[in-house]
């Protein structure tokens, strides 16, 4: 079934760098398309993370950054996957909720990566 709603992430010149980080964190992952502007910024990109299609663009206009009010929630399949995702996404970012056991999940973390994108990571049952 074709995905009808897609999350679009707008960056200030770091879209491709962010996409490549996300490709290294999650598997399966695939870049479907990256179209660049003449200045090298990303005009339009689509990529898949664990089967979820996302879009990314760069914008040279000053805009508000991401907030934790919107976050990408990822169910990790293994302890190793959640540990690695937490480690990589929290590097040069912020830990909003440390990796640990919570009443709602046996292993969970909420991090904001170096680009300001908020990720909720949970270990699947």
């Amino acid at each position: 079934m074709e995905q009808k709603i897609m999350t679009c992430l707008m960056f200030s010149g770091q879209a491709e760098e962010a996409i490549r980080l996300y490709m290294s964190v999650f598997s399966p992952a695939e870049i479907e398309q990256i179209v660049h502007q003449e200045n090298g910024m990303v005009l339009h990109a689509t990529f898949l993370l664990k089967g979820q299609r996302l879009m990314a663009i760069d914008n040279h206009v000053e805009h508000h950054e991401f907030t934790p009010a919107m976050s990408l929630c990822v169910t990790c399949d293994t302890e190793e996957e959640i540990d690695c995702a937490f480690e990589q996404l929290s590097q040069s970012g912020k830990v909003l909720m440390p990796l640990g056991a919570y009443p709602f999940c046996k292993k969970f973390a909420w991090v904001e990566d170096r680009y300001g994108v908020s990720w909720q990571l949970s270990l699947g049952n």
Side-chain angles (χ1 to χ4, degrees), residues 11 15 20-21 25 29 34-35 40 53 61 85 93-94 107 122 125:
F11 296 90
R20 297 210 182 273
L21 170 66
V25 172
I34 298 180
V35 178
R53 182 172 284 110
V61 176
K94 296 178 192 170
K107 196 164 191 180
S122 62
N125 295 330

Side-chain angles (χ1 to χ4, degrees), residues 52-123:
Q52 179 69 39
R53 182 172 284 110
L54 299 128
M55 184 183 350
I57 60 176
D58 276 324
N59 190 344
H60 64 278
V61 176
E62 184 107 7
H63 61 86
H64 295 287
E65 298 298 321
F66 300 106
T67 74
M70 192 288 305
S71 57
L72 300 175
C73 301
V74 179
T75 301
C76 299
D77 297 318
T78 65
E79 293 252 356
E80 181 182 3
E81 181 183 11
I82 194 170
D83 292 345
C84 289
F86 175 77
E87 173 68 28
Q88 291 179 42
L89 292 172
S90 63
Q91 280 183 358
S92 301
K94 296 178 192 170
V95 175
L96 304 176
M97 288 178 73
L99 186 61
Y102 292 89
F104 55 87
C105 188
K106 62 184 173 185
K107 196 164 191 180
F108 175 87
W110 195 335
V111 299
E112 183 180 293
D113 69 26
R114 68 187 81 162
Y115 308 104
V117 177
S118 182
W119 299 84
Q120 292 187 51
L121 307 170
S122 62
L123 182 60

Side-chain angles (χ1 to χ4, degrees), residues 9-76:
L9 304 171
M10 185 187 324
F11 296 90
S12 297
Q14 313 95 347
E16 188 166 358
E17 180 181 313
I19 291 168
R20 297 210 182 273
L21 170 66
Y22 306 151
M23 294 290 108
S24 73
V25 172
F26 298 106
S27 181
E30 174 187 347
I31 296 174
E32 292 184 315
Q33 175 187 40
I34 298 180
V35 178
H36 293 94
Q37 300 175 42
E38 287 182 18
N39 63 6
M41 293 176 75
V42 172
L43 177 65
H44 183 267
T46 56
F47 58 104
L48 296 169
L49 297 179
K50 295 179 77 68
Q52 179 69 39
R53 182 172 284 110
L54 299 128
M55 184 183 350
I57 60 176
D58 276 324
N59 190 344
H60 64 278
V61 176
E62 184 107 7
H63 61 86
H64 295 287
E65 298 298 321
F66 300 106
T67 74
M70 192 288 305
S71 57
L72 300 175
C73 301
V74 179
T75 301
C76 299

